[in-house]
Amino acid sequence: LEGEGVAYDIGSYRDAPAGLRIWCGSTVEKQDLEILTQWLDWAYEQVKPEPRGPLAGEPRTVLLATEKAFAADAVCKITKALGDAKYTLKKLENYKTKAELLEGVKDVDAMIIRSDIVDA
C-alpha cells in the first residue's frame, strides 16, 4: 500500500497479532475513512472462511437475558448486530427467578446476560 501511495505505517505493532493500525487526526477526512471501511468490508468478504463445524449454516438463536434493564440504545445495537448476522434474538427481560432463566436458555445457542448472580 505504501508503494501505491495510499497508506503508510499501517502494520500492527511488532508484539501484537497481525492487524491494521489506522491513524486518524485533523488531516484525515471523514469521507476517506468511510471509503476505507467499505474497502475493508469488501476485502473481508473476499477472504472470509466458510462456516465450519457441526452447526455451520444452521439458524442460531441468542438469548438476551436481563435481570436489570439494558440501556435502550444497547438493545438496539444488539438487535441490529444479531439481525445482520441473521441470528434470531430471544428476550427474557427483568427475570426474577432461577427457574425463569433456566426456562429461557433451554432452546438457545448463545446468551447475553445482565445479572448480578448467575448460577445453575
Side-chain angles (χ1 to χ4, degrees):
L1 294 175
E2 187 170 338
E4 295 292 324
V6 296
Y8 303 95
D9 190 27
I10 65 168
S12 58
Y13 292 106
R14 71 174 171 254
D15 295 335
L20 291 175
R21 202 170 26 158
I22 302 170
W23 295 92
C24 298
S26 61
T27 60
V28 177
E29 299 292 330
K30 177 181 175 184
Q31 180 181 353
D32 291 336
L33 290 174
E34 290 169 347
I35 292 168
L36 170 65
T37 56
Q38 290 169 6
W39 181 86
L40 290 172
D41 288 342
W42 173 86
Y44 177 72
E45 289 298 320
Q46 305 310 303
V47 300
K48 77 178 181 182
E50 291 295 318
R52 297 183 306 195
L55 297 176
E58 295 294 317
R60 305 270 198 236
T61 300
V62 178
L63 175 68
L64 177 60
T66 62
E67 179 188 17
K68 298 176 182 175
F70 269 108
D73 185 52
V75 174
C76 287
K77 289 177 181 177
I78 291 167
T79 301
K80 181 179 181 335
L82 294 176
D84 290 349
K86 298 185 176 34
Y87 291 176
T88 300
L89 174 62
K90 177 181 173 182
K91 293 181 185 178
L92 174 62
E93 298 176 303
N94 300 312
Y95 73 89
K96 300 295 179 212
T97 68
K98 180 178 177 178
E100 287 176 284
L101 179 59
L102 291 174
E103 181 65 27
V105 301
K106 277 205 279 192
D107 58 351
V108 300
D109 302 294
M111 179 171 50
I112 302 168
I113 188 164
R114 178 168 187 202
S115 175
D116 291 335
I117 299 173
V118 177
D119 64 4

